[in-house]
Each structure stands twice: as C-alpha cells, then as structure tokens.
Amino acid sequence: MVILGLSNLDNSSAVILGDGDILAACEEERFTRKKHEKSFPINSICNCLKIAGIEISDVDNVAIGWIPYSGIAHRVISSLILTVRQQSWKRKASKGIGYFQTIKEQLLAGRILESNFGGKRLPVHYVNHHLAHASCACFLSPFEKAAYITLDGTGEYQTSTMGTYLNGHLQRLYQNKYPDSLGHLYSVFTSFLGFTPNSGEGKVMGLAAYGNPTYARKIANLIDFDKRSYHFILSPKYFDYSSSLLREFPPKFLDLFGDPRIPGEELNDRHRNIAASVQSVVEDIVIRMTDFLHKKTRLDNICLSGGVALNCVMNAKIKEKTSFENIYVPSAPSDAGVSLGAALYLFHKFNGHRPDIKNLAPLWGPEYEDQYKSFLLSKHVKFSIAPNPEQRAAELLSRGKIIGWFTGRMEFGPRALGSRSIIAPPFPEKMKEIINKRVKFRENFRPFAPIILKEDAPGWFETYNHSPNMSFAFRVGEEFRKKIPAVTHVDGRARLQTVDERMNPGLFHMLLHYKKLTGIPVLLNTSFNRKGEPIVCDLNDAWNCFRNSEIDYLFIDKYLIDHANL
C-alpha cells in the first residue's frame, strides 16, 4: 500500500509511505525558499514521487492531517465571542479568510492532485490534527508503550491532547480547546517582543536565558488552571492572538507589560525578563500536565509533539523534573510532521499493526549526488577531492575553520542534523559571535547546538536523554563548559544532538576523527542557511549561502572548495 501524506498548514509538506516504510518526506519551504510556506505542497509532492521512484497512479490513498469539516462550529462560535469581547472584527475576518482557504484546499485535495498530476481521482482520508501529531511521535518512537502530549496553536478545535499509546493503539484521555492555547500564548509574546509570530518563538526561548522571570506571576494570574481536568483558560481580556499577529494588543495587556518592542529595536532588560517569564510559565504548566499524566498512566515513556514540542528547554525540564524515564520528540513535531503522522495513522488503521519503518534517521528528502561534479564545473571554481571527507573536515575544524557540509538526502524537520549543516569547532567562545555575525547574519544572543558522540553524552551533560533530533537543551557539566563555550548558552544549557554510527555514519566518523585530534567529542552544528531563509535544499542554495557568507570551506560530499578560491 502506498500512502501520500499531506499538510498545507503553517509548514506545508508531503510524505510517501510505502508498505509502512518512509520512502520520502519533503517540506514545501525548501523549494519555494519561503519560510513556513503554507501553500498546497505541489513541489513537495513532485519531489517525493521522484525520490520514491513512483508515479501518482501508484498511490493508493491520500492522508491529510486535518479534518476540514470538524470543529468549524466550535471555532466560529468561539471566534465570534472573542470578536465581540475584543472588538477585533477586521482582524478576525482577515484570519478567517486564510483559515477557510486552507479548508477549501483540503476538501478539494483530490481535484487538485488530479489537475496537477492527472490519473485517477485518489481517495482522500482526513485524520484529526492532534491525532496526526501524536501518531508522528508515537509510531516513530522506540516505545511499545508510552504516554503522549501534543501541544500547538490549534488544530480543528483542540489546542492540546494527552493520552496513551499501547501496542500501536492511541487513546486520548484529556484535551484543551480553542481559544485556550499555550502555543498562541507563546506567539502573543513572540509578537510583543518584536519577533515574527509562528516563526520567531525560538528567538524568545533563546532570549529567555538572559532574563529573570519577574513577570511570571503576572502572566500566571491571567491563566485559570483546573487541577482535576488539567484544562487551562486564558483571559480573553488580555490575550488576543489574532490582533497580536498585527502587533496590536489589548489595553489591559499593555497596562501590565508596557509598550511592545518595535522590530529591530535594541533589546533591554524588560524584554529579556518578559521572555524569561513566558518561558517559565509555559514550562510550569506543561510540567504540571506531565506530572498529572504520569500519575494517571504510570508509564515510563512519553512522546511529545506539536509545535510547542520544539521548545527544547521545556523538553529537557520534563526529563529533569518529572518521573518519566524516557522522552521522544520526532524531527518534525510542528505542522510539517502531520503529513507523516496522518500517513502513519492511516497505515495502522488499514493494516492493524505498527508501520515497519526501516530508516528512522529523518534523512528522507532529495539528494543530488549525480549533479555534484557537473555543478562545480559549471561554476568554474577550483576544487579538490577529499577521499575521506570526514577526516579532512575534522582536520580543518581542529584548525578553527568553519565548514559547510552538504551530503546525501535532506533532513525532514526544522533542524539540520548533518546533511545540510554548517559545522565549526565548539571553542573559543567568540566562535559563536563570528558565526552569528559573519555567517548567519542574525541576532547575537542566538545560541548554537553541539553534536556529540552518543556514548560520550552522559558524561558531558548533567541530565541525559538520547537526542538524535536535537530536541533537548540539557545542562553542560560544570567541568566541560570552558571546553565548549561556543555551544554553551548563557544559562549553562546546550541543545544537543547525539550521534551514533547507525543513524548518521558520516557525522559519527567526523566526530570520531575530531575527538582523536583534540580530545573533545563535540562540534558546533547549525543549519546551513542565513537569517530568514529555509535550510538549503539543492546545490544552488548551498552555493549561494557559501559564496555570500564567511564559511571557510564547503564540502559537497567528497568535493572540497576553499572560499579563498572564489
């Protein structure tokens, strides 16, 4: 059975599932070069079919991670109530137009596929959005039994769910409904702090480490929390998500928190403290929810998904402060992952057993191996051949160089995991400033991630959970912080990626060679892109990023280009 999974939400994507295995997965933004692309994922579908080596006629079923006719009444009624209370008719109407356009595309998905690709009208199956999130995490996890929590802005009408995953069966136990959303809460403050909502939440998380949660009580006082059902209610007098998208905020909100930061304005202590406060409040609520779920289920494992699960500091604190022993977060917990989750759920529904995924490393995108040499020849650039590129890269890194690393199939999810990466030594401390300023061209407070050999991670980090998808920001051991200052954030944490040979042999051997040369099993890894751009996809993207930044060397697999030769 071949299943085409689709998402046309904040991160449009497509997935091909063949007999329960992931054959291809792509995000639309990588092809349109527009971050968080929302359009129907035509480019992703084309590339997934090409990667899988099939035609649209080979697809048996289509799965979409949203039920377009579910929850409309709840959303409309809730929005009308909020509109009357907040007097935000124009803003709600504008947002509603986009919402119904998305629903229209989902309802007409079969026709859209037929008009673009021809062939038969494919049967389309709609999967509840949060169920797709849960399926993405649970079916990809190594667990047979686990609790799960999904948290995002909103699905059809749910904003969070809690439940269990037992031998392939998912059961929802609790839920929160729109408009009460931790994802929207965080996005309101993202906009207030001058960043782009539904995109800049990671910046707020990074900024939070520089502040103190002096506003946490004020924020918490605006949220009612029911300890019996673990339902949270945001005060509508203070929080208006739709208005915040336009950087407009209720008067009562401004009375409490002051004037919003203008984008580009210099950050001050108030901004840093507000970021720390909203981070603290969200952590506290999620940890209380997680504790409650553990007491109810008595399970050792938990899976997290939804856009809020990209908050790696929160994820680490769940590990540190709750009784769950193991945590799993997929590489694409945000809306990009619901295409995969919907396909996985549909496979289970039709076949009655867990999908048989052979390649769990989320390197499911396109590769361009047959174009490497011809591309470089077309650029008339001097290049050399590195017979052992991992060893050569380690040698350059041990000399303090910054490299672009382009090889194999592209990652699925928002984080570069070693196929489309910029890699640098984890010291000296100024390496962080150099890359932020000269390579990424982004804010100087933004942290970088360490990649570390899996077997060395428990000694270097105070708390440990296997983190192949860069999902947790654990504390670096006190004795190691001076050795890797460029990847240790101001709060002593680092968002680690643990690397083993089976999942990523190239990255594993690079780290192994670097460890032999320096005694340190850690390197700095950041996404191969510049500020405001998606991660590079093809050779042209990588070339443009390399040429227009101060990356010292570019590896295109075994082909090595020195920036000095450009």
Side-chain angles (χ1 to χ4, degrees):
M1 176 187 292
V2 177
I3 299 173
L4 170 63
L6 299 178
S7 171
N8 65 328
L9 302 165
D10 283 339
N11 294 81
S12 294
S13 63
V15 167
I16 297 285
L17 207 64
D19 295 327
D21 194 17
I22 302 169
L23 303 183
C26 298
E27 296 170 77
E28 191 71 0
E29 66 165 25
R30 307 293 166 84
F31 308 107
T32 65
R33 308 309 298 160
K34 179 182 176 183
K35 287 197 75 172
H36 307 292
E37 178 64 77
K38 298 181 181 182
S39 63
F40 198 84
I42 295 295
N43 294 289
S44 296
I45 297 168
C46 289
N47 278 273
C48 280
L49 292 171
K50 182 179 178 182
I51 295 164
I54 63 174
E55 303 291 336
I56 195 71
S57 58
D58 296 312
V59 174
D60 299 302
N61 293 281
V62 177
I64 295 178
W66 187 286
I67 304 176
Y69 43 80
S70 173
I72 291 178
H74 177 88
R75 286 283 293 266
V76 170
I77 292 170
S78 297
S79 293
L80 284 173
I81 292 171
L82 286 173
T83 300
V84 171
R85 286 178 174 176
Q86 299 165 343
Q87 293 297 303
S88 53
W89 298 94
K90 183 177 179 181
R91 293 179 289 276
K92 290 291 192 299
S94 176
K95 188 171 184 293
I97 290 170
Y99 171 67
F100 283 107
Q101 175 62 30
T102 297
I103 288 178
K104 179 183 175 182
E105 289 180 346
Q106 292 164 348
L107 288 169
L108 298 177
R111 292 185 184 179
I112 295 172
L113 290 170
E114 188 179 20
S115 70
N116 280 274
F117 299 96
K120 62 187 178 181
R121 179 73 59 86
L122 295 169
V124 178
H125 306 264
Y126 300 104
V127 179
N128 173 270
H129 184 70
H130 276 263
L131 181 58
H133 273 313
S135 297
C136 183
C138 294
F139 287 125
L140 290 176
S141 78
F143 312 137
E144 292 295 329
K145 298 180 180 180
Y148 73 80
I149 294 181
T150 64
L151 295 152
D152 67 2
T154 185
E156 295 88 345
Y157 61 94
Q158 296 149 323
T159 61
S160 71
T161 64
M162 295 190 288
T164 57
Y165 169 75
L166 303 174
N167 300 314
H169 179 67
L170 289 154
Q171 181 180 8
R172 187 180 69 227
L173 301 176
Y174 304 93
Q175 65 183 8
N176 280 279
K177 297 181 181 180
Y178 175 85
D180 301 309
S181 166
L182 291 183
H184 284 175
L185 171 71
Y186 212 96
S187 292
V188 166
F189 281 99
T190 299
S191 180
F192 181 79
L193 291 170
F195 306 118
T196 304
N198 302 314
S199 176
E201 283 75 11
K203 298 181 182 182
V204 176
M205 182 180 65
L207 182 64
Y210 291 87
N212 297 305
T214 54
Y215 292 84
R217 180 169 293 182
K218 288 183 178 181
I219 298 173
N221 287 340
L222 307 179
I223 305 170
D224 289 331
F225 197 82
D226 188 331
K227 293 184 178 180
R228 293 172 298 176
S229 65
Y230 275 67
H231 182 72
F232 46 83
I233 302 173
L234 308 185
S235 172
K237 295 179 181 179
Y238 291 86
F239 298 110
D240 184 348
Y241 170 71
S242 297
S243 294
S244 73
L245 298 177
L246 301 175
R247 304 194 192 281
E248 297 176 3
F249 306 90
K252 286 182 176 291
F253 187 93
L254 298 176
D255 288 343
L256 277 181
F257 302 109
D259 293 331
R261 173 178 173 261
I262 300 170
E265 179 186 350
E266 186 175 350
L267 290 160
N268 59 38
D269 286 342
R270 179 173 66 94
H271 303 138
R272 288 184 275 268
N273 292 343
I274 289 173
S277 299
V278 69
Q279 175 71 24
S280 175
V281 169
V282 170
E283 287 173 4
D284 180 63
I285 291 174
V286 175
I287 287 168
R288 288 159 71 184
M289 292 171 67
T290 310
D291 271 333
F292 168 76
L293 187 58
H294 184 266
K295 289 174 184 176
K296 287 291 182 182
T297 65
R298 296 298 177 184
L299 293 166
D300 294 330
N301 309 311
I302 187 168
C303 297
L304 305 176
S305 196
V308 179
L310 287 170
N311 193 310
C312 56
V313 177
M314 178 194 78
N315 297 344
K317 290 188 178 179
I318 291 173
K319 172 67 174 177
E320 294 165 1
K321 296 185 177 183
T322 75
S323 298
F324 283 106
E325 294 180 11
N326 305 294
I327 306 175
Y328 178 79
V329 183
S331 67
S334 65
D335 282 352
V338 300
S339 58
L340 177 54
L344 293 169
Y345 177 80
L346 191 64
F347 176 89
H348 176 263
K349 181 180 178 180
F350 283 160
N351 295 277
H353 62 83
R354 178 174 176 151
D356 181 22
I357 303 169
K358 297 177 177 62
N359 179 19
L360 286 169
L363 308 177
W364 303 314
E367 62 180 342
Y368 302 91
E369 185 176 1
D370 60 339
Q371 301 175 28
Y372 290 167
K373 188 173 182 180
S374 60
F375 176 83
L376 290 173
L377 289 173
S378 73
K379 296 299 178 184
H380 305 289
V381 64
K382 182 179 179 181
F383 62 86
S384 60
I385 303 294
N388 188 331
E390 294 83 11
Q391 182 175 347
R392 180 68 177 128
E395 291 168 356
L396 291 170
L397 291 163
S398 70
R399 290 163 40 198
K401 303 300 182 181
I402 300 168
I403 67 170
W405 187 254
F406 184 105
T407 186
R409 295 179 67 177
M410 183 175 61
E411 300 91 339
F412 185 63
R415 287 161 184 162
L417 301 174
S419 286
R420 307 288 189 271
S421 288
I422 295 169
I423 301 175
F427 60 86
E429 187 174 1
K430 68 178 181 180
M431 182 60 70
K432 173 184 169 183
E433 180 184 352
I434 290 170
I435 298 177
N436 270 330
K437 186 176 181 179
R438 302 180 189 174
V439 176
K440 304 282 281 188
F441 305 103
R442 66 182 196 179
E443 300 87 354
N444 62 5
F445 63 84
R446 302 279 296 278
F448 290 106
I451 49 175
I452 183 168
L453 292 167
K454 181 181 176 182
E455 59 267 29
D456 289 313
W460 282 70
F461 294 89
E462 293 178 1
T463 307
Y464 174 70
N465 191 91
H466 185 35
S467 182
N469 299 325
M470 211 179 281
S471 304
F472 305 92
F474 289 125
R475 290 194 178 279
V476 182
E478 289 278 359
E479 67 272 32
F480 297 118
R481 292 180 188 180
K482 291 184 178 180
K483 294 184 178 181
I484 54 171
V487 295
T488 302
H489 201 29
V490 67
D491 58 356
R493 293 182 179 271
R495 186 186 71 197
L496 73 157
Q497 177 192 354
T498 48
V499 179
D500 63 45
E501 187 172 15
R502 182 178 63 88
M503 295 286 278
N504 197 319
L507 216 54
F508 173 84
H509 287 288
M510 186 193 301
L511 280 163
L512 205 60
H513 286 302
Y514 186 77
K515 182 181 179 181
K516 289 178 182 177
L517 291 169
T518 65
I520 295 175
V522 177
L523 284 165
L524 181 156
N525 177 23
T526 186
S527 54
F528 199 160
N529 62 348
R530 294 172 298 177
K531 180 183 177 182
E533 299 175 347
I535 298 173
V536 303
C537 175
D538 61 20
L539 292 164
N540 268 312
D541 300 333
W543 180 257
N544 289 332
C545 186
F546 173 59
R547 189 166 53 92
N548 294 302
S549 69
E550 295 189 24
I551 298 172
D552 297 307
Y553 292 88
L554 172 62
F555 281 84
I556 299 177
D557 197 65
K558 65 181 180 180
Y559 298 96
L560 175 59
I561 305 97
D562 186 338
H563 200 285
N565 291 329
L566 296 183

